[in-house]
Amino acid sequence: MRFNNFPLKSKLVIYIVVGVFLVLAVSTAVIISTVTSQEEKLAYQKSIEMASSYANQFDADMKANSAVANTVALTMENYKASNRTEVIDILKNILEKNPNLIGVYVGYEPNAFDGKDAEYINAPRHDATGRFVPYCNKINGNLTVVPLLHYDSSDYYQLPKARGEDVLTEPYFYEGIFMVSHVSPIFKDGKFVGIAGADVPLKYMDEVVSKVKAFDTGYAFMVSNTGVLLSYPTHKEWIGKKSLYDFNSKEIARAAYDIKNGTGGYIETVDSTTGKPVVMFYEPVRTGDLAFVLVIPKEEMLAGVVDLRNRLLVISAISILFMAALSYMIALSITKPIDEIVQDFKSIAQDAVKGKLDVRADTDVERDFREIPMGLNEILKAVIVPVRESIRVTNALAEGELKERVNLDVQGEFRELGNTLDKFSETLNSIIDDSNAVLTAFQQNDFKRPISIHGKGDFKLLTDGIEETRQALDMITTQRREAEKALLDYAKELERSNQLKEELERVVNTSPVIVFLWKYEPMWPAEFVSENITRLGYEVEDFTSNKLLYGDIVHPEDLEKMAAELEMNVEAGCTDYTSEYRILTKSGEVRWVDERTVIQRSKDGEVHLQGIILDITEHKKAEDALLQMEEIRKKEIHHRIKNNLQVISMLLYLESGNFTDRDVIEAFRDSQNRVKSMALVHEKLYQSEDMVSVDFADYIKNLVDYLFQSYSLDSRKVSLKLDVEKVFLGMDTAVPLGIIVNELVSNSLKHAFAGEKEGEIYIELHRNRENSTLQEKNYDNSGNTKVMPQNNEQTGLNGATGDREEKLTLIVRDNGRGFPEKLDFRNTTSLGLQLVTTLVDQIEGDIRLDRSRGTGFEISFFKEMNSK
């Protein structure tokens, strides 16, 4: 509805109300903007002050805990008594008086406390070094004192030593407790002599922070300067394991960056737990490089602002309603006389619509509006004459007198009205004549004669309708002829198609393959199966009637594998794949089949399966026969190699009898042992199941037993200890490694125990251990062995791992006289050690020598990918 058509009274009301509304809207918007902005700033300021207050509280706690470590360090600097028991009692007293602490300790450099470390080696509350490193703790609930661990390498000791200043460690888990350590260096005469520290569990921090509430549902948590969660009110499993960067939010990542740089602030983000918009405030805890984080739902924080805004909007609405009522009263006083004239006009118009053109308007109205009815009466008088003439001509046209014309001498638009009626008569006459000619052609089935005269307006609808009818009839006639021809062609094509279908069915039913069409449902109901299913003893009706499902004839041992393979290919979007499995005939016979499955998908995502199944049982039997022949051939090869090597070993033994020189005899025996080690590998391969890998643990035992017998040693004098894991090695590794073991054990048997009453040879083979027995042992407070590196000689022959799977370590050690100090085992005239270094290079391994307790060789290498 256009605005010009609105009543005058409505327009007046609208103008006044809109004006007042605009004034009130602008003023209200300014007021709301100013007030809500101030309220929002106050809400943010209140939250920032709350976060800062809690951050300062925790900063004070961290300073107090740091002061404990600093106080212990200062006490030790001025302590002169050097009484270890007294110092331990001091630590206990400090721990009892500080319930927030989990442990208090001091740690001194070697002999820096009292110069008596040697007297306390492995004594209670001491470790194997005897150093004064007591750790007083309540980790297990009760107060206990144990020696510190890993002080030679850990940051809690090494950082204060290197920096000479107080250190606060990053949060870490120890014995299941999440904690931080405050550590201060101890100096005497300006020289670093040790450290003093206090361990603070972060559980109390989580308990305090989890109780923090802001507004209705706001909560708080603590993080380290690296973003790791130190507390969380709902997800306790995140503590110490999840960081701010794990929330995958750019805003939270920016906050983590500020926290890392020690700055505070706030961000707006979405709470990962509730999914609501929140404001996250964060303030640094300066002493501990930590940060306090306060999370408040934005709608709660700004609830007061929203309430104030709503009140102002209500006041504005009431004002607008009041002004609308006032506007209505003003408009009513103006429009009342106008409504009376309009009502008179309306009455005249209704009479004119009914054909009463002799009615006249009442001129007895107020002076300002009197010209309006008088002018209307003049118009009615001038209109009535041409209207009556037009009615006469129109009636003549309605009776079919198309020759009738207007006979009236008028001017202006009334003359145009007469000309229009005359033109209408002429046009209508031409259209009727042309349309009759076309319709006459229709009667004679001639649809090619088009309409020549097209009218306008409704006459155009008439002429266009006749023309469209003609064109439609013409097209229908043409299409009917074409359809008759197409039907004849389709009938011939359908006959040929049916013949081809019958031929294809004969080919499928006589071929060795069976065709199935399945539903992708449990056990695969069959929608179609070719008639040659009778090859398996079944009938087509067994499947199409759902009496049998395809899964019912799959071998039970292959059913799960086949189902998993099908599901994997369907989910991967494959269109076809091939698989082999076993099926059962109706008589219960097991047959191998090769299936080519085609996966079909409809537009709505429904899956159907089409399979072509070929019996490959005889092919499988031939493959099994070939595999058995291959296994027999491999066994024969390894058996012959073993026999030939044993013959060579025997020949070396017999040939050594022709000599009297001990060096020559020894050389023959060494060669015999080397040949024996290779023969033993082939014997183990011959005995293995896969003919590819050797049980090297069993191999080492047999080889060493043979060497002990070969050197005719008294088992009571030299004992053997084996710590060998069950490891399978391929021949390329087993042969050189067997010769290495042979050479190292032979060297120990020949040289290590000359003149000794008794001794021990130790062989170890293990996987993926960080340290070995060649390293110095240390002990923690629970008695578990901890290993520390010794000063060992090491040579890395080849560090490349290539296509390797896992790292193995072989150790051959004796506690005999020891390897000569001045002799380099990598550069010696001994053929045995030359063989060892060469073969280690061959298996791409590393070898090192330990001289600390007798002689020990450690060889690290990688197991082949194809070994077990």
Side-chain angles (χ1 to χ4, degrees), residues 680-710:
L680 190 57
V681 171
H682 288 280
E683 181 178 357
K684 294 299 179 183
L685 284 171
Y686 172 73
Q687 295 171 353
S688 67
E689 295 180 359
D690 58 3
M691 305 297 293
V692 174
S693 58
V694 174
D695 183 350
F696 204 71
D698 183 56
Y699 170 80
I700 288 178
K701 186 177 183 304
N702 291 339
L703 176 60
V704 175
D705 287 345
Y706 165 76
L707 292 175
F708 267 66
Q709 294 173 8
S710 174

Side-chain angles (χ1 to χ4, degrees), residues 76 230 318 419 451 565 683:
M76 291 297 101
L230 307 182
I318 293 173
N419 293 338
I451 286 289
E565 185 176 12
E683 181 178 357

Side-chain angles (χ1 to χ4, degrees), residues 68 72 88-105 135-139 141-145 197-201:
V68 172
V72 174
I88 292 174
D89 290 338
I90 293 172
L91 295 178
K92 288 181 178 179
N93 186 48
I94 293 173
L95 185 59
E96 290 173 350
K97 292 182 178 180
N98 292 272
N100 285 341
L101 301 181
I102 195 70
V104 182
Y105 49 89
Y135 179 36
C136 184
N137 66 85
K138 297 184 292 187
I139 292 176
N142 298 322
L143 195 152
T144 58
V145 181
D199 291 343
V200 182

Side-chain angles (χ1 to χ4, degrees), residues 30-173:
V30 173
I31 294 171
I32 291 175
S33 176
T34 303
V35 175
T36 56
S37 176
Q38 293 298 323
E39 287 292 325
E40 186 172 338
K41 287 180 180 179
L42 288 174
Y44 273 88
Q45 186 62 34
K46 179 181 177 182
S47 301
I48 292 172
E49 289 175 357
M50 182 183 298
S52 179
S53 175
Y54 279 106
N56 291 335
Q57 176 183 335
F58 285 106
D59 185 57
D61 290 345
M62 298 302 288
K63 286 180 178 179
N65 295 328
S66 179
V68 172
N70 191 259
T71 300
V72 174
L74 292 175
T75 301
M76 291 297 101
E77 287 179 4
N78 298 299
Y79 185 71
K80 307 297 183 181
S82 300
N83 187 323
R84 299 193 179 200
T85 303
E86 185 178 14
V87 172
I88 292 174
D89 290 338
I90 293 172
L91 295 178
K92 288 181 178 179
N93 186 48
I94 293 173
L95 185 59
E96 290 173 350
K97 292 182 178 180
N98 292 272
N100 285 341
L101 301 181
I102 195 70
V104 182
Y105 49 89
V106 295
Y108 277 85
E109 292 283 276
N111 289 314
F113 181 72
D114 55 8
K116 299 178 180 180
D117 288 359
E119 298 178 13
Y120 289 92
I121 292 176
N122 291 325
R125 302 173 176 175
H126 294 77
D127 58 16
T129 65
R131 289 169 64 173
F132 187 47
V133 286
Y135 179 36
C136 184
N137 66 85
K138 297 184 292 187
I139 292 176
N140 296 321
N142 298 322
L143 195 152
T144 58
V145 181
V146 295
L148 293 172
L149 298 176
H150 313 306
Y151 44 79
D152 284 339
S153 58
S154 297
D155 288 347
Y156 78 88
Y157 191 97
Q158 297 300 324
L159 286 180
K161 179 179 179 180
R163 298 178 181 176
E165 60 184 20
D166 295 347
V167 171
L168 176 65
T169 66
E170 279 290 310
Y172 63 94
F173 281 98

Side-chain angles (χ1 to χ4, degrees), residues 661-690:
D661 187 285
R662 291 183 59 83
D663 292 338
V664 175
I665 294 173
E666 186 68 27
F668 271 99
R669 183 165 63 175
D670 289 344
S671 298
Q672 182 184 353
N673 291 342
R674 291 165 187 147
V675 172
K676 179 65 177 179
S677 70
M678 290 187 287
L680 190 57
V681 171
H682 288 280
E683 181 178 357
K684 294 299 179 183
L685 284 171
Y686 172 73
Q687 295 171 353
S688 67
E689 295 180 359
D690 58 3

Side-chain angles (χ1 to χ4, degrees), residues 65-336:
N65 295 328
S66 179
V68 172
N70 191 259
T71 300
V72 174
L74 292 175
T75 301
M76 291 297 101
E77 287 179 4
N78 298 299
Y79 185 71
K80 307 297 183 181
S82 300
N83 187 323
R84 299 193 179 200
T85 303
E86 185 178 14
V87 172
I88 292 174
D89 290 338
I90 293 172
L91 295 178
K92 288 181 178 179
N93 186 48
I94 293 173
L95 185 59
E96 290 173 350
K97 292 182 178 180
N98 292 272
N100 285 341
L101 301 181
I102 195 70
V104 182
Y105 49 89
V106 295
Y108 277 85
E109 292 283 276
N111 289 314
F113 181 72
D114 55 8
K116 299 178 180 180
D117 288 359
E119 298 178 13
Y120 289 92
I121 292 176
N122 291 325
R125 302 173 176 175
H126 294 77
D127 58 16
T129 65
R131 289 169 64 173
F132 187 47
V133 286
Y135 179 36
C136 184
N137 66 85
K138 297 184 292 187
I139 292 176
N140 296 321
N142 298 322
L143 195 152
T144 58
V145 181
V146 295
L148 293 172
L149 298 176
H150 313 306
Y151 44 79
D152 284 339
S153 58
S154 297
D155 288 347
Y156 78 88
Y157 191 97
Q158 297 300 324
L159 286 180
K161 179 179 179 180
R163 298 178 181 176
E165 60 184 20
D166 295 347
V167 171
L168 176 65
T169 66
E170 279 290 310
Y172 63 94
F173 281 98
Y174 181 75
E175 297 291 334
I177 297 177
F178 198 42
M179 64 175 68
V180 295
S181 296
H182 296 270
V183 189
S184 297
I186 301 173
F187 293 97
K188 283 193 177 181
D189 300 327
K191 179 181 178 182
F192 175 83
V193 295
I195 56 109
D199 291 343
V200 182
L202 296 179
K203 182 179 180 181
Y204 91 94
M205 182 182 295
D206 178 53
E207 292 174 349
V208 174
V209 175
S210 296
K211 295 178 182 178
V212 174
K213 296 296 181 183
F215 293 90
D216 293 333
T217 61
Y219 61 91
F221 60 90
M222 295 285 288
V223 296
S224 69
N225 72 325
T226 58
V228 176
L229 297 181
L230 307 182
S231 71
Y232 207 83
T234 55
H235 295 279
K236 301 301 183 183
E237 70 277 8
W238 291 357
I239 298 175
K241 299 177 181 177
K242 191 167 184 177
S243 73
L244 294 179
Y245 298 99
D246 296 332
F247 288 95
N248 296 324
S249 168
K250 292 182 179 179
E251 292 80 10
I252 296 179
R254 178 168 59 81
Y257 177 79
D258 290 343
I259 290 171
K260 185 175 182 181
N261 292 320
T263 59
Y266 65 88
I267 59 168
E268 294 185 9
T269 183
V270 177
D271 194 321
S272 61
T273 303
T274 64
K276 295 181 178 180
V278 295
V279 182
M280 181 183 292
F281 300 88
Y282 47 92
E283 288 294 328
V285 179
R286 303 295 181 184
T287 300
D289 285 340
L290 312 177
F292 178 83
V293 182
L294 185 64
V295 181
I296 304 175
K298 192 172 182 180
E299 62 179 8
E300 294 179 9
M301 189 176 72
L302 301 180
V305 177
V306 174
D307 183 60
L308 178 61
R309 181 172 59 242
N310 292 339
R311 291 182 182 181
L312 291 173
L313 290 174
V314 169
I315 293 172
S316 299
I318 293 173
S319 301
I320 293 172
L321 291 175
F322 174 77
M323 291 305 300
L326 183 61
S327 301
Y328 178 79
M329 298 299 295
I330 296 172
L332 186 62
S333 65
I334 297 174
T335 59
K336 185 176 180 181

